[in-house]
Amino acid sequence: MSDPRPLEGRRALVTGASRGIGRATAMAFAKAGAAVAVAYSAHPESAEAVVTALRNDHGATAIALGADLADPSAAAGLVEQTVQALGGIDIVVNNAGITRDNLAMRLADDDWDAVIAIDLTAAFHICRAALRPMLRQRFGRIVNVSSIAGVIGNAGQSNYSAAKAGLIGLTKSLAREVASRDITVNAVAPGFIETDMTTTLADAVQASAIAAIPKGRMGTADEVASAITFLVLPESGYITGHVLHVDGGLAA
Ligand code: NAP
């Protein structure tokens, strides 16, 4: 029988873990035995509810850490706080993300800057800070949550697509830099997943997005969390620099 708690003893930081894909990932990690730092920005009560669920449902060590990832120093601070609270850091999931959609012709500078800062630059700052202890301990697992929009583009999302494509470049370059120290760096590229990010879109927008998906439905946060968990399992140690699509065939 396979090990029911393959992440026992591992310490994970998951950003954007108060809701959606990040929450599902934190739950999957705790179920697999990991201690989890649940990072959030604006919803401390949601993050605390996740921490309570991790402790009660899975007996996990869990803490909530607040940081606005628009601030570069806050990003590095999250890694420091995780190391202090959990005694180290083995796994990082850069999942926090925002959208500020508009056609490029109408896109405001602030909306470009905010999306690049939170969806791309913060991930770089967190990776750089986490690599220090990971290189020292000669072990680490990093997963960056990109998007199908970063693979095939999306009209109305030039800022988001640029950030998510940038994350893929970051993932592949870092993977090459640190592979020899048993640190893997991978990305997942979700398609259209049922979370606050998508369920707030107009019904007509949702319907036309679903019509383009070969599987004929939106994905769930749990389905993305399964892919992320797979990439951090001990037996996935030879997979690095990979972009795993979780999109119901959207980019097939
Ligand atoms: P979501 O439900 O909107 O949750 C976003 C998360 O990011 C929340 O935990 C939020 O924290 C956090 N966050 C937002 N702004 C932040 C900031 N300035 N600093 C720190 N944290 C911040 O999103 P989701 O749908 O689960 O998406 C998670 C990731 O998957 C994102 O990177 C997204 O781009 C990517 N993705 C999603 C889809 C999809 O269809 N849903 C598809 C492809 C890729 P608070 O709760 O505290 O605000």
Side-chain angles (χ1 to χ4, degrees), residues 16-22 39-43 67-70 95-98 118-119 145-148 160 164 190-198:
S18 49
R19 297 184 275 130
I21 293 167
Y40 67 94
S41 63
H43 297 94
D68 179 1
L69 290 177
N95 166 77
I98 60 163
I118 293 165
D119 293 14
V145 181
S146 178
S147 167
I148 205 63
Y160 183 74
K164 295 300 187 179
F192 200 54
I193 311 299
E194 211 173 333
T195 68
D196 293 349
M197 190 175 269
T198 49

PDB file of all heavy atoms in Angstrom, residues 16-22 39-43 67-70 95-98 118-119 145-148 160 164 190-198, ligand 1:
ATOM      1  N   GLY A  16      -1.627  32.721  -0.963  1.00  0.00           N
ATOM      2  CA  GLY A  16      -3.016  32.753  -1.422  1.00  0.00           C
ATOM      3  C   GLY A  16      -3.790  31.537  -0.947  1.00  0.00           C
ATOM      4  O   GLY A  16      -4.634  30.989  -1.661  1.00  0.00           O
ATOM      5  N   ALA A  17      -3.521  31.124   0.299  1.00  0.00           N
ATOM      6  CA  ALA A  17      -4.106  29.872   0.795  1.00  0.00           C
ATOM      7  C   ALA A  17      -5.397  30.090   1.577  1.00  0.00           C
ATOM      8  O   ALA A  17      -5.953  29.153   2.144  1.00  0.00           O
ATOM      9  CB  ALA A  17      -3.091  29.120   1.650  1.00  0.00           C
ATOM     10  N   SER A  18      -5.875  31.328   1.626  1.00  0.00           N
ATOM     11  CA  SER A  18      -7.120  31.593   2.353  1.00  0.00           C
ATOM     12  C   SER A  18      -8.352  31.161   1.569  1.00  0.00           C
ATOM     13  O   SER A  18      -9.436  31.011   2.147  1.00  0.00           O
ATOM     14  CB  SER A  18      -7.223  33.098   2.657  1.00  0.00           C
ATOM     15  OG  SER A  18      -6.963  33.852   1.481  1.00  0.00           O
ATOM     16  N   ARG A  19      -8.173  30.977   0.251  1.00  0.00           N
ATOM     17  CA  ARG A  19      -9.331  30.658  -0.602  1.00  0.00           C
ATOM     18  C   ARG A  19      -8.896  29.793  -1.780  1.00  0.00           C
ATOM     19  O   ARG A  19      -7.701  29.628  -2.027  1.00  0.00           O
ATOM     20  CB  ARG A  19      -9.938  31.959  -1.159  1.00  0.00           C
ATOM     21  CG  ARG A  19     -10.469  32.875  -0.111  1.00  0.00           C
ATOM     22  CD  ARG A  19     -11.147  34.090  -0.710  1.00  0.00           C
ATOM     23  NE  ARG A  19     -10.202  35.156  -1.017  1.00  0.00           N
ATOM     24  CZ  ARG A  19     -10.148  35.779  -2.199  1.00  0.00           C
ATOM     25  NH1 ARG A  19     -10.955  35.432  -3.173  1.00  0.00           N
ATOM     26  NH2 ARG A  19      -9.286  36.758  -2.391  1.00  0.00           N
ATOM     27  N   GLY A  20      -9.867  29.282  -2.515  1.00  0.00           N
ATOM     28  CA  GLY A  20      -9.651  28.702  -3.840  1.00  0.00           C
ATOM     29  C   GLY A  20      -8.586  27.614  -3.916  1.00  0.00           C
ATOM     30  O   GLY A  20      -8.509  26.711  -3.081  1.00  0.00           O
ATOM     31  N   ILE A  21      -7.746  27.724  -4.947  1.00  0.00           N
ATOM     32  CA  ILE A  21      -6.737  26.695  -5.231  1.00  0.00           C
ATOM     33  C   ILE A  21      -5.728  26.590  -4.090  1.00  0.00           C
ATOM     34  O   ILE A  21      -5.300  25.487  -3.719  1.00  0.00           O
ATOM     35  CB  ILE A  21      -6.026  27.032  -6.570  1.00  0.00           C
ATOM     36  CG1 ILE A  21      -7.017  26.885  -7.740  1.00  0.00           C
ATOM     37  CG2 ILE A  21      -4.796  26.158  -6.780  1.00  0.00           C
ATOM     38  CD1 ILE A  21      -6.535  27.479  -9.066  1.00  0.00           C
ATOM     39  N   GLY A  22      -5.343  27.727  -3.510  1.00  0.00           N
ATOM     40  CA  GLY A  22      -4.375  27.709  -2.415  1.00  0.00           C
ATOM     41  C   GLY A  22      -4.919  26.989  -1.192  1.00  0.00           C
ATOM     42  O   GLY A  22      -4.210  26.205  -0.550  1.00  0.00           O
ATOM     43  N   ALA A  39      -0.645  31.539   3.794  1.00  0.00           N
ATOM     44  CA  ALA A  39      -0.450  32.977   3.582  1.00  0.00           C
ATOM     45  C   ALA A  39      -1.685  33.597   2.927  1.00  0.00           C
ATOM     46  O   ALA A  39      -2.343  32.969   2.100  1.00  0.00           O
ATOM     47  CB  ALA A  39       0.783  33.217   2.724  1.00  0.00           C
ATOM     48  N   TYR A  40      -1.960  34.836   3.340  1.00  0.00           N
ATOM     49  CA  TYR A  40      -3.143  35.566   2.851  1.00  0.00           C
ATOM     50  C   TYR A  40      -2.799  37.045   2.826  1.00  0.00           C
ATOM     51  O   TYR A  40      -1.752  37.461   3.336  1.00  0.00           O
ATOM     52  CB  TYR A  40      -4.345  35.317   3.778  1.00  0.00           C
ATOM     53  CG  TYR A  40      -4.139  35.932   5.143  1.00  0.00           C
ATOM     54  CD1 TYR A  40      -4.626  37.214   5.434  1.00  0.00           C
ATOM     55  CD2 TYR A  40      -3.396  35.264   6.132  1.00  0.00           C
ATOM     56  CE1 TYR A  40      -4.395  37.800   6.677  1.00  0.00           C
ATOM     57  CE2 TYR A  40      -3.163  35.850   7.366  1.00  0.00           C
ATOM     58  CZ  TYR A  40      -3.661  37.129   7.626  1.00  0.00           C
ATOM     59  OH  TYR A  40      -3.415  37.707   8.834  1.00  0.00           O
ATOM     60  N   SER A  41      -3.720  37.860   2.256  1.00  0.00           N
ATOM     61  CA  SER A  41      -3.479  39.308   2.332  1.00  0.00           C
ATOM     62  C   SER A  41      -4.627  40.043   3.000  1.00  0.00           C
ATOM     63  O   SER A  41      -4.434  40.731   3.990  1.00  0.00           O
ATOM     64  CB  SER A  41      -3.221  39.907   0.947  1.00  0.00           C
ATOM     65  OG  SER A  41      -4.347  39.764   0.132  1.00  0.00           O
ATOM     66  N   ALA A  42      -5.844  39.863   2.487  1.00  0.00           N
ATOM     67  CA  ALA A  42      -6.944  40.718   2.936  1.00  0.00           C
ATOM     68  C   ALA A  42      -8.004  40.009   3.769  1.00  0.00           C
ATOM     69  O   ALA A  42      -8.915  40.650   4.278  1.00  0.00           O
ATOM     70  CB  ALA A  42      -7.611  41.361   1.715  1.00  0.00           C
ATOM     71  N   HIS A  43      -7.913  38.684   3.877  1.00  0.00           N
ATOM     72  CA  HIS A  43      -8.982  37.938   4.557  1.00  0.00           C
ATOM     73  C   HIS A  43      -8.439  37.060   5.683  1.00  0.00           C
ATOM     74  O   HIS A  43      -8.401  35.832   5.559  1.00  0.00           O
ATOM     75  CB  HIS A  43      -9.766  37.094   3.542  1.00  0.00           C
ATOM     76  CG  HIS A  43     -10.475  37.921   2.523  1.00  0.00           C
ATOM     77  ND1 HIS A  43      -9.931  38.230   1.298  1.00  0.00           N
ATOM     78  CD2 HIS A  43     -11.678  38.541   2.571  1.00  0.00           C
ATOM     79  CE1 HIS A  43     -10.767  38.990   0.618  1.00  0.00           C
ATOM     80  NE2 HIS A  43     -11.844  39.196   1.357  1.00  0.00           N
ATOM     81  N   ALA A  67       0.436  38.942   4.554  1.00  0.00           N
ATOM     82  CA  ALA A  67       1.410  39.779   3.837  1.00  0.00           C
ATOM     83  C   ALA A  67       0.794  40.235   2.521  1.00  0.00           C
ATOM     84  O   ALA A  67       0.210  39.419   1.805  1.00  0.00           O
ATOM     85  CB  ALA A  67       2.686  38.991   3.547  1.00  0.00           C
ATOM     86  N   ASP A  68       0.938  41.512   2.230  1.00  0.00           N
ATOM     87  CA  ASP A  68       0.494  42.021   0.930  1.00  0.00           C
ATOM     88  C   ASP A  68       1.641  41.834  -0.054  1.00  0.00           C
ATOM     89  O   ASP A  68       2.664  42.510   0.031  1.00  0.00           O
ATOM     90  CB  ASP A  68       0.119  43.502   1.055  1.00  0.00           C
ATOM     91  CG  ASP A  68      -0.321  44.071  -0.287  1.00  0.00           C
ATOM     92  OD1 ASP A  68      -0.342  43.317  -1.289  1.00  0.00           O
ATOM     93  OD2 ASP A  68      -0.654  45.276  -0.321  1.00  0.00           O
ATOM     94  N   LEU A  69       1.460  40.924  -0.986  1.00  0.00           N
ATOM     95  CA  LEU A  69       2.557  40.573  -1.898  1.00  0.00           C
ATOM     96  C   LEU A  69       2.833  41.646  -2.943  1.00  0.00           C
ATOM     97  O   LEU A  69       3.750  41.494  -3.756  1.00  0.00           O
ATOM     98  CB  LEU A  69       2.282  39.218  -2.554  1.00  0.00           C
ATOM     99  CG  LEU A  69       2.385  38.037  -1.579  1.00  0.00           C
ATOM    100  CD1 LEU A  69       2.042  36.723  -2.260  1.00  0.00           C
ATOM    101  CD2 LEU A  69       3.783  37.963  -0.976  1.00  0.00           C
ATOM    102  N   ALA A  70       2.079  42.738  -2.917  1.00  0.00           N
ATOM    103  CA  ALA A  70       2.437  43.883  -3.759  1.00  0.00           C
ATOM    104  C   ALA A  70       3.716  44.530  -3.227  1.00  0.00           C
ATOM    105  O   ALA A  70       4.399  45.252  -3.946  1.00  0.00           O
ATOM    106  CB  ALA A  70       1.297  44.897  -3.770  1.00  0.00           C
ATOM    107  N   ASN A  95       1.141  30.699  -5.243  1.00  0.00           N
ATOM    108  CA  ASN A  95      -0.217  30.575  -5.777  1.00  0.00           C
ATOM    109  C   ASN A  95      -1.000  31.883  -5.778  1.00  0.00           C
ATOM    110  O   ASN A  95      -1.912  32.047  -6.583  1.00  0.00           O
ATOM    111  CB  ASN A  95      -0.963  29.513  -4.949  1.00  0.00           C
ATOM    112  CG  ASN A  95      -2.460  29.551  -5.189  1.00  0.00           C
ATOM    113  OD1 ASN A  95      -2.947  29.067  -6.201  1.00  0.00           O
ATOM    114  ND2 ASN A  95      -3.203  30.167  -4.263  1.00  0.00           N
ATOM    115  N   ALA A  96      -0.655  32.818  -4.884  1.00  0.00           N
ATOM    116  CA  ALA A  96      -1.433  34.058  -4.800  1.00  0.00           C
ATOM    117  C   ALA A  96      -1.459  34.739  -6.156  1.00  0.00           C
ATOM    118  O   ALA A  96      -0.448  34.788  -6.858  1.00  0.00           O
ATOM    119  CB  ALA A  96      -0.822  34.999  -3.759  1.00  0.00           C
ATOM    120  N   GLY A  97      -2.609  35.254  -6.530  1.00  0.00           N
ATOM    121  CA  GLY A  97      -2.687  35.926  -7.825  1.00  0.00           C
ATOM    122  C   GLY A  97      -3.930  36.781  -7.920  1.00  0.00           C
ATOM    123  O   GLY A  97      -4.908  36.558  -7.204  1.00  0.00           O
ATOM    124  N   ILE A  98      -3.835  37.788  -8.788  1.00  0.00           N
ATOM    125  CA  ILE A  98      -4.986  38.651  -9.031  1.00  0.00           C
ATOM    126  C   ILE A  98      -5.156  38.831 -10.537  1.00  0.00           C
ATOM    127  O   ILE A  98      -4.235  38.564 -11.310  1.00  0.00           O
ATOM    128  CB  ILE A  98      -4.822  40.049  -8.385  1.00  0.00           C
ATOM    129  CG1 ILE A  98      -3.577  40.775  -8.954  1.00  0.00           C
ATOM    130  CG2 ILE A  98      -4.725  39.944  -6.868  1.00  0.00           C
ATOM    131  CD1 ILE A  98      -3.571  42.273  -8.697  1.00  0.00           C
ATOM    132  N   ILE A 118       2.216  41.290  -8.181  1.00  0.00           N
ATOM    133  CA  ILE A 118       1.681  40.220  -7.319  1.00  0.00           C
ATOM    134  C   ILE A 118       1.824  38.847  -7.980  1.00  0.00           C
ATOM    135  O   ILE A 118       2.183  37.862  -7.331  1.00  0.00           O
ATOM    136  CB  ILE A 118       0.212  40.520  -6.950  1.00  0.00           C
ATOM    137  CG1 ILE A 118       0.171  41.771  -6.060  1.00  0.00           C
ATOM    138  CG2 ILE A 118      -0.442  39.332  -6.256  1.00  0.00           C
ATOM    139  CD1 ILE A 118      -1.199  42.390  -5.908  1.00  0.00           C
ATOM    140  N   ASP A 119       1.571  38.771  -9.290  1.00  0.00           N
ATOM    141  CA  ASP A 119       1.543  37.461  -9.954  1.00  0.00           C
ATOM    142  C   ASP A 119       2.926  36.985 -10.395  1.00  0.00           C
ATOM    143  O   ASP A 119       3.121  35.795 -10.618  1.00  0.00           O
ATOM    144  CB  ASP A 119       0.620  37.506 -11.179  1.00  0.00           C
ATOM    145  CG  ASP A 119      -0.855  37.690 -10.802  1.00  0.00           C
ATOM    146  OD1 ASP A 119      -1.126  38.037  -9.642  1.00  0.00           O
ATOM    147  OD2 ASP A 119      -1.720  37.496 -11.657  1.00  0.00           O
ATOM    148  N   VAL A 145       2.185  28.672  -9.584  1.00  0.00           N
ATOM    149  CA  VAL A 145       0.863  28.517 -10.208  1.00  0.00           C
ATOM    150  C   VAL A 145       0.740  29.541 -11.334  1.00  0.00           C
ATOM    151  O   VAL A 145       0.515  30.726 -11.106  1.00  0.00           O
ATOM    152  CB  VAL A 145      -0.264  28.652  -9.171  1.00  0.00           C
ATOM    153  CG1 VAL A 145      -1.620  28.466  -9.858  1.00  0.00           C
ATOM    154  CG2 VAL A 145      -0.087  27.605  -8.065  1.00  0.00           C
ATOM    155  N   SER A 146       0.931  29.045 -12.536  1.00  0.00           N
ATOM    156  CA  SER A 146       0.809  29.871 -13.738  1.00  0.00           C
ATOM    157  C   SER A 146      -0.639  29.809 -14.215  1.00  0.00           C
ATOM    158  O   SER A 146      -1.564  29.756 -13.393  1.00  0.00           O
ATOM    159  CB  SER A 146       1.799  29.354 -14.799  1.00  0.00           C
ATOM    160  OG  SER A 146       1.681  30.079 -15.993  1.00  0.00           O
ATOM    161  N   SER A 147      -0.859  29.791 -15.500  1.00  0.00           N
ATOM    162  CA  SER A 147      -2.219  29.747 -16.047  1.00  0.00           C
ATOM    163  C   SER A 147      -2.141  29.392 -17.517  1.00  0.00           C
ATOM    164  O   SER A 147      -1.137  29.670 -18.180  1.00  0.00           O
ATOM    165  CB  SER A 147      -2.888  31.115 -15.904  1.00  0.00           C
ATOM    166  OG  SER A 147      -4.071  31.169 -16.687  1.00  0.00           O
ATOM    167  N   ILE A 148      -3.219  28.857 -18.006  1.00  0.00           N
ATOM    168  CA  ILE A 148      -3.329  28.595 -19.440  1.00  0.00           C
ATOM    169  C   ILE A 148      -3.168  29.909 -20.214  1.00  0.00           C
ATOM    170  O   ILE A 148      -2.671  29.928 -21.340  1.00  0.00           O
ATOM    171  CB  ILE A 148      -4.678  27.886 -19.729  1.00  0.00           C
ATOM    172  CG1 ILE A 148      -4.586  27.077 -20.991  1.00  0.00           C
ATOM    173  CG2 ILE A 148      -5.833  28.823 -19.721  1.00  0.00           C
ATOM    174  CD1 ILE A 148      -3.587  25.959 -20.899  1.00  0.00           C
ATOM    175  N   TYR A 160      -2.057  39.860 -17.199  1.00  0.00           N
ATOM    176  CA  TYR A 160      -2.092  38.556 -16.523  1.00  0.00           C
ATOM    177  C   TYR A 160      -1.320  37.507 -17.340  1.00  0.00           C
ATOM    178  O   TYR A 160      -0.526  36.742 -16.787  1.00  0.00           O
ATOM    179  CB  TYR A 160      -3.561  38.162 -16.351  1.00  0.00           C
ATOM    180  CG  TYR A 160      -3.840  36.889 -15.605  1.00  0.00           C
ATOM    181  CD1 TYR A 160      -3.694  36.810 -14.218  1.00  0.00           C
ATOM    182  CD2 TYR A 160      -4.300  35.754 -16.275  1.00  0.00           C
ATOM    183  CE1 TYR A 160      -3.996  35.640 -13.537  1.00  0.00           C
ATOM    184  CE2 TYR A 160      -4.615  34.590 -15.598  1.00  0.00           C
ATOM    185  CZ  TYR A 160      -4.454  34.537 -14.225  1.00  0.00           C
ATOM    186  OH  TYR A 160      -4.755  33.373 -13.557  1.00  0.00           O
ATOM    187  N   LYS A 164       1.918  35.446 -16.131  1.00  0.00           N
ATOM    188  CA  LYS A 164       1.871  33.983 -16.036  1.00  0.00           C
ATOM    189  C   LYS A 164       2.869  33.314 -16.982  1.00  0.00           C
ATOM    190  O   LYS A 164       3.419  32.254 -16.670  1.00  0.00           O
ATOM    191  CB  LYS A 164       0.443  33.493 -16.292  1.00  0.00           C
ATOM    192  CG  LYS A 164      -0.567  33.935 -15.226  1.00  0.00           C
ATOM    193  CD  LYS A 164      -0.201  33.412 -13.843  1.00  0.00           C
ATOM    194  CE  LYS A 164      -1.266  33.683 -12.787  1.00  0.00           C
ATOM    195  NZ  LYS A 164      -0.909  33.143 -11.476  1.00  0.00           N
ATOM    196  N   PRO A 190      -3.339  25.987 -14.688  1.00  0.00           N
ATOM    197  CA  PRO A 190      -4.775  25.671 -14.642  1.00  0.00           C
ATOM    198  C   PRO A 190      -5.511  26.359 -15.797  1.00  0.00           C
ATOM    199  O   PRO A 190      -5.097  27.415 -16.277  1.00  0.00           O
ATOM    200  CB  PRO A 190      -5.223  26.261 -13.301  1.00  0.00           C
ATOM    201  CG  PRO A 190      -3.979  26.490 -12.510  1.00  0.00           C
ATOM    202  CD  PRO A 190      -2.911  26.763 -13.513  1.00  0.00           C
ATOM    203  N   GLY A 191      -6.615  25.742 -16.190  1.00  0.00           N
ATOM    204  CA  GLY A 191      -7.477  26.340 -17.209  1.00  0.00           C
ATOM    205  C   GLY A 191      -8.524  27.212 -16.544  1.00  0.00           C
ATOM    206  O   GLY A 191      -8.200  28.239 -15.954  1.00  0.00           O
ATOM    207  N   PHE A 192      -9.777  26.773 -16.602  1.00  0.00           N
ATOM    208  CA  PHE A 192     -10.886  27.562 -16.053  1.00  0.00           C
ATOM    209  C   PHE A 192     -11.402  26.815 -14.820  1.00  0.00           C
ATOM    210  O   PHE A 192     -12.076  25.796 -14.936  1.00  0.00           O
ATOM    211  CB  PHE A 192     -11.965  27.687 -17.130  1.00  0.00           C
ATOM    212  CG  PHE A 192     -12.931  28.822 -16.907  1.00  0.00           C
ATOM    213  CD1 PHE A 192     -12.485  30.123 -16.709  1.00  0.00           C
ATOM    214  CD2 PHE A 192     -14.301  28.601 -16.932  1.00  0.00           C
ATOM    215  CE1 PHE A 192     -13.385  31.166 -16.514  1.00  0.00           C
ATOM    216  CE2 PHE A 192     -15.205  29.642 -16.742  1.00  0.00           C
ATOM    217  CZ  PHE A 192     -14.742  30.921 -16.539  1.00  0.00           C
ATOM    218  N   ILE A 193     -11.042  27.319 -13.639  1.00  0.00           N
ATOM    219  CA  ILE A 193     -11.274  26.603 -12.380  1.00  0.00           C
ATOM    220  C   ILE A 193     -12.316  27.349 -11.544  1.00  0.00           C
ATOM    221  O   ILE A 193     -12.264  28.585 -11.450  1.00  0.00           O
ATOM    222  CB  ILE A 193      -9.957  26.474 -11.574  1.00  0.00           C
ATOM    223  CG1 ILE A 193      -8.807  25.939 -12.460  1.00  0.00           C
ATOM    224  CG2 ILE A 193     -10.149  25.611 -10.327  1.00  0.00           C
ATOM    225  CD1 ILE A 193      -9.008  24.577 -13.055  1.00  0.00           C
ATOM    226  N   GLU A 194     -13.201  26.577 -10.929  1.00  0.00           N
ATOM    227  CA  GLU A 194     -14.293  27.177 -10.155  1.00  0.00           C
ATOM    228  C   GLU A 194     -13.790  27.733  -8.822  1.00  0.00           C
ATOM    229  O   GLU A 194     -13.610  26.997  -7.856  1.00  0.00           O
ATOM    230  CB  GLU A 194     -15.325  26.071  -9.878  1.00  0.00           C
ATOM    231  CG  GLU A 194     -16.714  26.582  -9.778  1.00  0.00           C
ATOM    232  CD  GLU A 194     -17.707  25.433  -9.682  1.00  0.00           C
ATOM    233  OE1 GLU A 194     -17.421  24.322 -10.175  1.00  0.00           O
ATOM    234  OE2 GLU A 194     -18.762  25.658  -9.076  1.00  0.00           O
ATOM    235  N   THR A 195     -13.515  29.050  -8.780  1.00  0.00           N
ATOM    236  CA  THR A 195     -13.114  29.737  -7.538  1.00  0.00           C
ATOM    237  C   THR A 195     -13.700  31.151  -7.598  1.00  0.00           C
ATOM    238  O   THR A 195     -14.314  31.534  -8.598  1.00  0.00           O
ATOM    239  CB  THR A 195     -11.570  29.879  -7.432  1.00  0.00           C
ATOM    240  OG1 THR A 195     -11.131  30.792  -8.446  1.00  0.00           O
ATOM    241  CG2 THR A 195     -10.844  28.564  -7.589  1.00  0.00           C
ATOM    242  N   ASP A 196     -13.400  31.948  -6.552  1.00  0.00           N
ATOM    243  CA  ASP A 196     -13.875  33.347  -6.542  1.00  0.00           C
ATOM    244  C   ASP A 196     -13.424  34.106  -7.788  1.00  0.00           C
ATOM    245  O   ASP A 196     -14.101  35.021  -8.250  1.00  0.00           O
ATOM    246  CB  ASP A 196     -13.327  34.092  -5.309  1.00  0.00           C
ATOM    247  CG  ASP A 196     -13.913  33.552  -4.012  1.00  0.00           C
ATOM    248  OD1 ASP A 196     -14.882  32.764  -4.074  1.00  0.00           O
ATOM    249  OD2 ASP A 196     -13.386  33.918  -2.935  1.00  0.00           O
ATOM    250  N   MET A 197     -12.236  33.715  -8.316  1.00  0.00           N
ATOM    251  CA  MET A 197     -11.675  34.435  -9.469  1.00  0.00           C
ATOM    252  C   MET A 197     -12.565  34.297 -10.702  1.00  0.00           C
ATOM    253  O   MET A 197     -12.620  35.190 -11.537  1.00  0.00           O
ATOM    254  CB  MET A 197     -10.269  33.907  -9.768  1.00  0.00           C
ATOM    255  CG  MET A 197      -9.496  34.740 -10.774  1.00  0.00           C
ATOM    256  SD  MET A 197      -7.805  34.151 -10.989  1.00  0.00           S
ATOM    257  CE  MET A 197      -6.938  35.111  -9.765  1.00  0.00           C
ATOM    258  N   THR A 198     -13.262  33.176 -10.826  1.00  0.00           N
ATOM    259  CA  THR A 198     -14.043  32.909 -12.044  1.00  0.00           C
ATOM    260  C   THR A 198     -15.553  32.981 -11.818  1.00  0.00           C
ATOM    261  O   THR A 198     -16.288  33.366 -12.724  1.00  0.00           O
ATOM    262  CB  THR A 198     -13.707  31.504 -12.586  1.00  0.00           C
ATOM    263  OG1 THR A 198     -13.790  30.583 -11.491  1.00  0.00           O
ATOM    264  CG2 THR A 198     -12.334  31.459 -13.200  1.00  0.00           C
TER     265      THR A 198
HETATM  266  P1  NAP B   1      -8.826  33.374  -5.594  1.00  0.00           P
HETATM  267  O1  NAP B   1      -9.885  32.429  -5.164  1.00  0.00           O
HETATM  268  O2  NAP B   1      -9.201  34.700  -6.149  1.00  0.00           O
HETATM  269  O3  NAP B   1      -7.798  33.563  -4.370  1.00  0.00           O
HETATM  270  C1  NAP B   1      -6.712  34.429  -4.510  1.00  0.00           C
HETATM  271  C2  NAP B   1      -5.763  34.244  -3.366  1.00  0.00           C
HETATM  272  O4  NAP B   1      -4.651  35.135  -3.543  1.00  0.00           O
HETATM  273  C3  NAP B   1      -6.389  34.593  -2.032  1.00  0.00           C
HETATM  274  O5  NAP B   1      -5.928  33.706  -1.051  1.00  0.00           O
HETATM  275  C4  NAP B   1      -5.882  36.001  -1.755  1.00  0.00           C
HETATM  276  O6  NAP B   1      -5.766  36.314  -0.372  1.00  0.00           O
HETATM  277  C5  NAP B   1      -4.506  35.951  -2.388  1.00  0.00           C
HETATM  278  N1  NAP B   1      -4.057  37.293  -2.759  1.00  0.00           N
HETATM  279  C6  NAP B   1      -4.678  38.169  -3.583  1.00  0.00           C
HETATM  280  N2  NAP B   1      -4.002  39.335  -3.618  1.00  0.00           N
HETATM  281  C7  NAP B   1      -2.947  39.204  -2.786  1.00  0.00           C
HETATM  282  C8  NAP B   1      -1.896  40.058  -2.370  1.00  0.00           C
HETATM  283  N3  NAP B   1      -1.793  41.336  -2.789  1.00  0.00           N
HETATM  284  N4  NAP B   1      -0.982  39.582  -1.506  1.00  0.00           N
HETATM  285  C9  NAP B   1      -1.071  38.316  -1.033  1.00  0.00           C
HETATM  286  N5  NAP B   1      -2.045  37.450  -1.386  1.00  0.00           N
HETATM  287  C10 NAP B   1      -2.981  37.891  -2.240  1.00  0.00           C
HETATM  288  O7  NAP B   1      -7.870  32.733  -6.702  1.00  0.00           O
HETATM  289  P2  NAP B   1      -7.779  31.253  -7.308  1.00  0.00           P
HETATM  290  O8  NAP B   1      -8.742  31.159  -8.424  1.00  0.00           O
HETATM  291  O9  NAP B   1      -7.753  30.232  -6.240  1.00  0.00           O
HETATM  292  O10 NAP B   1      -6.344  31.373  -8.003  1.00  0.00           O
HETATM  293  C11 NAP B   1      -5.161  30.940  -7.382  1.00  0.00           C
HETATM  294  C12 NAP B   1      -4.049  31.005  -8.413  1.00  0.00           C
HETATM  295  O11 NAP B   1      -4.401  30.218  -9.546  1.00  0.00           O
HETATM  296  C13 NAP B   1      -3.807  32.421  -8.953  1.00  0.00           C
HETATM  297  O12 NAP B   1      -2.437  32.635  -9.153  1.00  0.00           O
HETATM  298  C14 NAP B   1      -4.519  32.412 -10.289  1.00  0.00           C
HETATM  299  O13 NAP B   1      -3.973  33.336 -11.185  1.00  0.00           O
HETATM  300  C15 NAP B   1      -4.283  30.983 -10.718  1.00  0.00           C
HETATM  301  N6  NAP B   1      -5.247  30.508 -11.710  1.00  0.00           N
HETATM  302  C16 NAP B   1      -6.578  30.469 -11.411  1.00  0.00           C
HETATM  303  C17 NAP B   1      -7.457  30.027 -12.392  1.00  0.00           C
HETATM  304  C18 NAP B   1      -8.938  29.949 -12.159  1.00  0.00           C
HETATM  305  O14 NAP B   1      -9.663  29.653 -13.124  1.00  0.00           O
HETATM  306  N7  NAP B   1      -9.440  30.163 -10.957  1.00  0.00           N
HETATM  307  C19 NAP B   1      -6.971  29.636 -13.646  1.00  0.00           C
HETATM  308  C20 NAP B   1      -5.617  29.699 -13.893  1.00  0.00           C
HETATM  309  C21 NAP B   1      -4.753  30.128 -12.912  1.00  0.00           C
HETATM  310  P3  NAP B   1      -7.016  37.012   0.447  1.00  0.00           P
HETATM  311  O15 NAP B   1      -8.065  35.966   0.577  1.00  0.00           O
HETATM  312  O16 NAP B   1      -6.464  37.402   1.764  1.00  0.00           O
HETATM  313  O17 NAP B   1      -7.469  38.162  -0.390  1.00  0.00           O
END
